[in-house]
């Protein structure tokens, strides 16, 4: 029986933006995936969250952003666990519950250079194919060396380049624009922009002493 091919887009989504959606759609098309799971993180071990947006806010914005795309689905898997969330633990649950599914974990190119520091990186590569986002204005050769290094180190590793449009959008910049009263139109879906405005999100974010997540 043909195995399902499911992509995973994880992150704090604080807030989710059009760059996330384009990345998910690109992965869906380039690797002919059956579905992309958008999976908000509850307590990431690597960053402190901006608390002007609650967990409920982040979840609501993700659901609004993906509702019109049948290829996208919401997953609360990482929200149901206590303590810090780790990719390896998420993949263990998914592969145990869905042995007929092949998972594709989507990440930014920057994360690839820190991948060795992730909890049980070797096990991650046994359970999922990594799709590394390389912008379409940057040659994939820029990251091929790191991919080759990791695939040699982790013999079971399968890491592929995901060629994405050059969209310079970050959640950090969106929060900054909200603080400054600037428009975020075209940076986030219209439904998300309305949600942020209606709930007054990010208007009073801390300017100093806070580490913002992307």
């Amino acid at each position: 029986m043909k195995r399902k091919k499911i992509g995973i887009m994880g992150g704090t989504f604080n807030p989710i933006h059009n760059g996330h959606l384009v990345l998910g759609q690109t992965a869906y098309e380039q690797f002919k995936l059956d579905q992309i799971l958008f999976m908000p993180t509850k307590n990431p071990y690597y960053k402190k969250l901006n608390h002007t947006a609650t967990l409920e806010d982040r979840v609501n914005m993700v659901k609004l952003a993906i509702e019109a795309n049948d290829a996208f689905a919401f997953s609360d898997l990482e929200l149901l666990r206590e303590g810090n969330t780790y990719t390896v633990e998420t993949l263990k649950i998914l592969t145990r519950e869905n042995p007929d599914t092949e998972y594709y974990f989507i990440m930014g190119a920057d994360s690839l250079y820190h991948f060795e520091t992730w909890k049980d990186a070797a096990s991650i590569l046994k359970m999922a194919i990594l799709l590394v986002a390389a912008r379409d204005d940057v040659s994939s050769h820029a990251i091929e060396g790191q991919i080759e290094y990791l695939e040699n180190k982790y013999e079971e590793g399968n890491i592929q380049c995901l060629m994405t449009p050059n969209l310079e959008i970050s959640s950090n910049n969106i929060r900054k624009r909200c603080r400054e009263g600037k428009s975020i139109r075209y940076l986030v879906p219209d439904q998300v922009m309305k949600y942020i405005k209606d709930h007054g999100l990010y208007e009073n974010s801390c300017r100093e002493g806070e580490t913002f997540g992307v």
Side-chain angles (χ1 to χ4, degrees):
M1 186 173 73
K2 183 181 178 182
R3 302 186 75 193
K4 294 179 181 178
K5 298 168 64 176
I6 303 296
I8 299 172
M9 278 283 297
T12 54
F13 299 123
N14 191 28
I16 190 169
H17 54 67
N18 288 340
H20 294 131
L21 302 178
V22 169
L23 186 58
Q25 185 67 28
T26 302
Y28 176 75
E29 294 174 355
Q30 184 177 334
F31 291 90
K32 297 178 173 57
L33 305 182
D34 295 299
Q35 191 176 59
I36 303 290
L37 296 180
F38 279 76
M39 191 179 293
T41 300
K42 183 178 182 181
N43 294 308
Y45 71 92
Y46 53 87
K47 66 178 66 169
K48 177 181 177 182
L49 294 180
N50 177 335
H51 293 293
T52 65
T54 66
L55 176 59
E56 181 181 9
D57 287 327
R58 293 191 288 121
V59 167
N60 288 340
M61 287 188 284
V62 170
K63 289 180 176 179
L64 286 170
I66 68 175
E67 64 182 357
N69 191 331
D70 291 338
F72 294 166
F74 175 82
S75 172
D76 63 359
L77 179 58
E78 293 199 341
L79 305 180
L80 302 176
R81 304 208 308 272
E82 296 300 323
N84 290 335
T85 48
Y86 296 94
T87 298
V88 67
E89 303 299 336
T90 298
L91 286 170
K92 284 179 180 178
I93 294 171
L94 288 171
T95 54
R96 182 174 64 247
E97 294 181 350
N98 306 286
D100 63 336
T101 299
E102 187 172 51
Y103 288 100
Y104 293 70
F105 188 85
I106 302 164
M107 64 163 60
D110 290 347
S111 296
L112 186 69
Y113 292 92
H114 305 288
F115 182 71
E116 291 173 282
T117 68
W118 289 25
K119 182 179 179 180
D120 203 353
S123 291
I124 292 174
L125 284 169
K126 291 178 182 178
M127 295 183 286
I129 296 169
L130 298 189
L131 302 185
V132 183
R135 299 178 313 193
D136 61 3
D137 66 334
V138 177
S139 170
S140 60
H141 292 296
I143 60 174
E144 282 180 354
Q146 182 66 8
I147 289 176
E148 182 179 1
Y149 165 73
L150 290 173
E151 287 187 333
N152 287 334
K153 179 173 181 177
Y154 304 104
E155 294 182 0
E156 297 186 53
N158 185 349
I159 307 173
Q160 302 291 326
C161 277
L162 175 60
M163 301 310 297
T164 62
N166 180 23
L167 296 178
E168 295 293 342
I169 305 175
S170 75
S171 298
N172 185 32
N173 180 253
I174 290 168
R175 293 192 298 270
K176 182 174 183 290
R177 293 183 68 87
C178 289
R179 289 200 305 270
E180 296 172 349
K182 295 179 180 178
S183 174
I184 57 173
R185 187 181 298 275
Y186 310 123
L187 300 178
V188 300
D190 289 346
Q191 307 96 306
V192 173
M193 182 175 65
K194 183 177 186 302
Y195 186 95
I196 290 172
K197 181 178 179 181
D198 290 348
H199 292 78
L201 301 184
Y202 309 121
E203 293 177 359
N204 299 309
S205 303
C206 296
R207 295 173 184 270
E208 297 180 359
E210 180 173 10
T211 301
F212 293 112
V214 177

